[in-house]
Amino acid sequence: VRRLDENTGKDNFLSYSFNLTYGSKQWEFLQAQFIEAYALKDKIEAKPFRTQNRNQETVSGKRQAVSRQTLSTFKNEPDTFFDCKPNREWADTIRKEWKKSASDKPYHIPVQIGTKEITTEKKLRYFDHSQAEEVCVCEASLSNLEQIKEIIQLAETDKSAWRKTTPEKRNEILHQVADNLVAKRGHLIGCMSAITGKTFAEGDVEVSEAIDFCRFYPLTMLKFTELKTVSFSPKGIVLVIPPWNFPLAIPLGGVAAALAGGNTVILKPASVALPVAWEFAQCFWDAGVPKDALQVVCTNGREPLNYLTKHPSIKHIILTGGTDTAFRLLENNPTCPLSAETGGKNAIILTASGDRDHAIQNIVTSAFSNAGQKCSACSLLLLEKEVYHDPDFKTKLIDAVTSIKTGGVWDGGNIVGPMITNANDKLLHAIEHLEPGEWWLVKPEFVDEKRYILRPTVKWGVKPNSFSFKNELFAPLLSVLCIDNLQQGIELLNASDYGLT
């Protein structure tokens, strides 16, 4: 009787579930109930930013930070709760600003040499891969060898005396950078969507992480000043070389860490993600970081880049990128310290005793978020025999994979957006060549004619010596292997060229 009362009560979903259709009165009532429940939950948990009406942020990013943290405490910056109606309306302002049309004139990024900005003949163009028509969003001038020499000289001279600033002053400035990032959250999300194909949710968490870096690193630096047995001084010039797949959080983290230590920084972002770096650099300069202490470069060809990476004035390199790039840097400049995170081929191992439904949820999230373009993605799934041959597991996995909405990032319902390139030779080889024993549990299918948007796909029957097992594909493609037991799975992964991210 108690169950009947509960399940037919006016606040219970089941009483409205019969003949429930989209847009009906029952639907509207339930939607209101859920929004109210989530808002109440967030209010109880005291997370004001999650239910913060981000619609208050103007497109130009002038809104002030809602509650500036003190300069001596650290708390993670919450992400946006996009289910709230005001935040969905705020997301619409991002689309209006950054979803360009073919008739819109692309904006221009100059070559920066300290406070000088130069337009060069050689330019790089950036297109929005979420749209069927060819839409150029941005054009960027590229630096030649002579300009790189001038950039290095400025960073070495340090006329603004950034290296002489106190840790307390740097803490104050970097906290202001964090506040600037808070105010430009929507602008930065839009830039990542248009330039690198990030969905709003993927871009949003990057902004939160970037804000955290700007607060955490200088506070950590202050703790070193309290140590009586340690002394420290800036190294000099730190060269930051980040990847394109996390175009905001990773480069900004390297920049914030180097600046917190009192170093001058040359940021060489991935060419395909330069506009994102240019946007967040404004947050540093506006906060008081001198333009000779942070310079953003994108080189015209290999010669000026090699000159930069092997220059003796570079005292430390921070790299996130390919393994071949790391070895090339070591060869070019063997005496320069290199902090590098390189490629990855990560896996999930599921044994017969595992919770299969729970595993599928995590497998799908890991393999296909960010369109699989991350070294931490689950690109390999190793299944113990019982699971591998379980028809129910296959059915559920197929259902989970094919249920993921895929397409352009301007549709807020899409989970998987465009890849950064349609010329990924390793991916195309893995798609076009099935090796003995391999077959498609979920066949590969491109959403668009230009082949930037690939629906999540699953290759079954992959072997330890196959191409898909050995190579980093950086795409929404999951390779599935059969193993005898957990120990064999561990041995197979340890025998590969990659370690855990």
Side-chain angles (χ1 to χ4, degrees):
V1 172
R2 183 165 65 89
R3 291 288 179 229
L4 284 171
D5 287 341
E6 289 174 352
N7 293 337
T8 57
K10 67 182 183 68
D11 294 328
N12 190 284
F13 171 80
L14 288 175
S15 62
Y16 301 92
S17 62
F18 301 103
N19 301 318
L20 180 65
T21 57
Y22 182 82
S24 64
K25 289 184 178 181
Q26 293 96 324
W27 176 274
E28 291 175 355
F29 177 79
L30 283 170
Q31 189 179 43
Q33 292 289 95
F34 280 125
I35 291 173
E36 182 181 348
Y38 274 112
L40 179 61
K41 172 179 175 288
D42 280 357
K43 188 176 180 181
I44 291 170
E45 292 177 358
K47 295 176 181 176
F49 280 91
R50 292 191 184 276
T51 53
Q52 169 66 29
N53 181 354
R54 295 205 192 276
N55 193 35
Q56 293 171 6
E57 175 182 348
T58 62
V59 173
S60 58
K62 297 296 185 183
R63 181 174 67 84
Q64 295 296 310
V66 175
S67 59
R68 178 168 179 168
Q69 296 182 25
T70 65
L71 301 184
S72 59
T73 61
F74 175 77
K75 186 174 71 172
N76 287 107
E77 182 72 11
D79 306 325
T80 304
F81 182 60
F82 281 104
D83 285 359
C84 280
K85 185 178 179 180
N87 290 342
R88 295 200 303 273
E89 292 173 348
W90 169 74
D92 286 337
T93 67
I94 301 173
R95 293 183 186 91
K96 289 176 182 176
E97 181 189 14
W98 280 99
K99 186 181 179 182
K100 309 294 184 180
S101 68
S103 61
D104 289 322
K105 184 179 179 181
Y107 71 96
H108 178 252
I109 296 175
V111 168
Q112 181 227 346
I113 307 175
T115 56
K116 289 195 301 183
E117 294 185 354
I118 302 168
T119 299
T120 61
E121 289 186 9
K122 185 66 176 179
K123 294 183 178 68
L124 194 59
R125 305 183 79 199
Y126 296 87
F127 294 90
D128 183 352
H129 299 315
S130 287
Q131 300 194 58
E133 62 179 338
E134 192 170 80
V135 177
C136 182
V137 180
C138 172
E139 291 181 342
S141 292
L142 303 179
S143 305
N144 59 32
L145 180 58
E146 293 306 312
Q147 291 163 342
I148 290 294
K149 290 179 180 179
E150 190 176 350
I151 287 167
I152 295 172
Q153 184 182 14
L154 270 176
E156 179 65 38
T157 306
D158 188 27
K159 285 186 179 180
S160 61
W162 177 256
R163 294 175 198 156
K164 294 181 181 179
T165 55
T166 64
E168 290 77 14
K169 182 62 176 177
R170 297 198 292 270
N171 180 45
E172 181 183 339
I173 290 174
L174 288 174
H175 269 73
Q176 182 58 55
V177 175
D179 288 352
N180 292 349
L181 292 168
V182 170
K184 288 188 72 172
R185 179 183 286 267
H187 189 73
L188 293 166
I189 291 171
C191 184
M192 284 186 277
S193 295
I195 301 298
T196 60
K198 289 271 184 180
T199 65
F200 283 15
E202 291 166 353
D204 183 69
V205 296
E206 280 208 53
V207 179
S208 298
E209 187 177 1
I211 293 166
D212 288 345
F213 284 141
C214 288
R215 292 168 177 160
F216 180 77
Y217 285 143
L219 288 174
T220 304
M221 195 70 212
L222 286 178
K223 293 190 176 183
F224 283 110
T225 65
E226 300 170 0
L227 300 175
K228 305 300 182 185
T229 56
V230 175
S231 61
F232 55 87
S233 60
K235 283 191 164 194
I237 303 175
V238 174
L239 174 60
V240 179
I241 307 177
W244 50 261
N245 58 336
F246 292 96
L248 176 66
I250 291 179
L252 191 144
V255 169
L259 289 174
N263 303 286
T264 51
V265 180
I266 296 176
L267 171 61
K268 195 295 173 189
S271 298
V272 292
L274 168 65
V276 181
W278 182 255
E279 292 298 332
F280 76 67
Q282 314 293 327
C283 295
F284 283 89
W285 297 326
D286 292 345
V289 175
K291 287 194 172 182
D292 62 344
L294 172 58
Q295 297 179 91
V296 183
V297 304
C298 191
T299 59
N300 180 15
R302 181 66 63 182
E303 183 186 9
L305 179 59
N306 286 339
Y307 182 88
L308 174 63
T309 58
K310 66 172 60 173
H311 198 279
S313 293
I314 304 297
K315 300 304 180 186
H316 200 108
I317 298 176
I318 300 173
L319 166 75
T320 303
T323 308
D324 54 346
T325 303
F327 281 118
R328 189 163 59 245
L329 290 171
L330 290 173
E331 291 168 3
N332 287 348
N333 200 344
T335 62
C336 181
L338 172 66
S339 299
E341 180 194 354
T342 57
K345 188 76 176 171
N346 269 13
I348 287 177
I349 303 175
L350 177 58
T351 65
S353 61
D355 183 329
R356 299 175 196 186
D357 291 345
H358 188 65
I360 287 173
Q361 182 182 12
N362 287 276
I363 290 161
V364 168
T365 301
S366 179
F368 304 123
S369 61
N370 295 280
Q373 299 175 115
K374 53 182 182 176
C375 54
S376 58
C378 171
S379 56
L380 295 171
L381 174 60
L382 280 61
L383 301 177
E384 197 170 12
K385 281 183 178 179
E386 181 182 322
V387 186
Y388 184 86
H389 295 294
D390 178 5
D392 287 342
F393 181 83
K394 287 180 185 175
T395 300
K396 290 178 180 179
L397 181 60
I398 292 170
D399 183 62
V401 173
T402 55
S403 297
I404 300 173
K405 197 174 177 187
T406 305
V409 296
W410 306 117
D411 180 346
N414 287 334
I415 305 299
V416 175
M419 298 179 291
I420 198 72
T421 179
N422 61 355
N424 184 338
D425 292 338
K426 290 182 178 179
L427 170 64
L428 295 176
H429 180 89
I431 288 176
E432 294 166 2
H433 297 84
L434 283 176
E435 298 183 48
E438 295 180 348
W439 55 280
W440 296 111
L441 184 72
V442 179
K443 290 183 179 180
E445 178 189 353
F446 287 95
V447 173
D448 59 327
E449 291 183 3
K450 296 178 182 177
R451 293 161 67 96
Y452 280 101
I453 306 175
L454 175 65
R455 294 190 192 279
T457 183
V458 181
K459 182 184 282 191
W460 202 267
V462 175
K463 301 295 190 296
N465 60 349
S466 71
F467 182 87
S468 294
F469 183 88
K470 291 181 176 180
N471 288 275
E472 189 178 23
L473 303 179
F474 248 56
L477 190 156
L478 175 66
S479 299
V480 184
L481 290 78
C482 180
I483 57 174
D484 292 330
N485 50 49
L486 176 61
Q487 185 60 38
Q488 184 192 27
I490 293 171
E491 290 171 357
L492 287 174
L493 293 174
N494 283 341
S496 74
D497 290 336
Y498 299 101
L500 291 175
T501 298

